[in-house]
Amino acid sequence: QDLTGLPQGQRHVLRVRVNVRRFESMPGQHALLEAAWVVHPLWQGQGHDLVCSSLIRVPVTAGYNALMLGHQQALASLSRQIASVAAPLASGLTPACPAG
């Protein structure tokens, strides 16, 4: 949800931008997600943007159901990577990009 311009109260608001570079499907082999992403603090006295990239490959068995589950797992992994830096950044820390 875009909260730009709304009162933030005591919360530190972050903007996350994700650019999916590759979304690859290889039935019986893997589901692959490659993305570049930026976490940007939106409060006064904000820190620096954190710019990261992720390459996530999930092995899958044969069949399209397995492939879709693999892509869901890849997206969940990307979400966890972003969350792992968002919380420390919102606390004023300067986290490093996660490996992968």
Side-chain angles (χ1 to χ4, degrees):
Q1 183 176 16
D2 189 355
L3 302 175
T4 304
L6 296 176
Q8 298 173 12
Q10 299 296 331
R11 295 183 181 181
H12 284 164
V13 177
L14 301 169
R15 174 177 290 142
V16 178
R17 289 186 313 245
V18 178
N19 179 4
V20 175
R21 294 181 175 168
R22 192 164 64 168
F23 197 79
E24 184 176 287
S25 299
M26 297 293 290
Q29 295 181 29
H30 65 261
L32 184 136
L33 173 63
E34 181 180 7
W37 46 279
V38 179
V39 182
H40 173 74
L42 293 176
W43 59 90
Q44 204 169 37
Q46 62 196 13
H48 298 286
D49 289 357
L50 184 63
V51 180
C52 303
S53 63
S54 299
L55 178 61
I56 303 160
R57 182 185 310 262
V58 177
V60 297
T61 58
Y64 289 104
N65 286 339
L67 188 59
M68 293 306 107
L69 289 173
H71 280 300
Q72 287 177 347
Q73 291 172 7
L75 287 168
S77 179
L78 177 62
S79 297
R80 285 190 299 274
Q81 288 181 15
I82 294 170
S84 75
V85 300
L89 194 61
S91 298
L93 301 174
T94 307
C97 292

